Amino acid sequence: MSAPDPLSAVKARIAALWTEAPVAWPNGGWFVPVAPYSPASPGAEYDPGANPQQPWLYVEILGAGSDCSVIGSPGKRAAVDDYLIMASVFTPLGSGDAESFRLCRAFGEIFRLARFGGVVSGAPSPPGASDQGDDDGLWWRRSVSIPLFSHYSV
């Protein structure tokens, strides 16, 4: 059996459940939930600078390790790959922390203790526990992290 694909699983869950703000992925690409956030033309990239009052998220999936153990008959192994979903919420600088805090919590809740796409997610960190807020630039950044596990056997 091959290991589940955590990136596809997370993207599908966001597409199915997230409606709060646009999401940017590493190295390009956006998920834009619904109007009024939709780009002007189909297939166009979302531009956070075009609406500087609109919060948005940057989501990464980071590898955190793996483990393997023998189960049952010789040669049968169970494995787990550990990941971390890191979501940074960007809100306009000077707008306070309430909206970024709310969005961190809302994003974490769509993954809280869930099974989806062959992976299992844990409880999200409290907003800011995984990374301090940052106001260097045009945006205020607050982050939330969610542990993610991919179990499989070979």
Side-chain angles (χ1 to χ4, degrees):
M1 173 183 184
S2 63
D5 177 3
L7 180 59
S8 294
V10 168
K11 284 186 170 187
R13 189 154 183 95
I14 289 171
L17 299 175
W18 182 250
T19 60
E20 298 281 341
V23 174
W25 297 103
N27 201 26
W30 287 84
F31 166 70
V32 183
V34 291
Y37 315 124
S38 301
S41 59
E45 286 288 307
Y46 180 79
D47 177 10
N51 185 355
Q53 298 305 308
Q54 171 61 48
W56 56 281
L57 283 73
Y58 181 79
V59 177
E60 296 180 274
I61 304 190
L62 308 173
S66 62
D67 195 16
C68 183
S69 59
V70 175
I71 56 171
S73 62
K76 180 106 173 144
R77 294 168 297 193
V80 61
D81 295 335
D82 300 335
Y83 298 91
L84 193 62
I85 303 168
M86 283 291 298
S88 294
V89 172
F90 292 88
T91 54
L93 193 59
S95 63
D97 198 24
E99 181 66 356
S100 56
F101 196 89
R102 183 190 73 76
L103 287 170
C104 280
R105 288 185 51 107
F107 187 82
E109 287 305 313
I110 70 171
F111 293 101
R112 181 179 295 278
L113 306 175
R115 292 179 186 270
F116 57 94
V119 297
V120 178
S121 55
S125 66
S130 57
D131 196 10
Q132 294 179 344
D134 182 10
D135 63 357
D136 183 21
L138 298 175
W139 302 93
W140 167 252
R141 179 183 49 82
R142 171 72 66 195
S143 298
V144 62
S145 62
I146 304 109
L148 186 69
F149 310 97
S150 172
H151 298 269
Y152 55 100
S153 60
V154 291

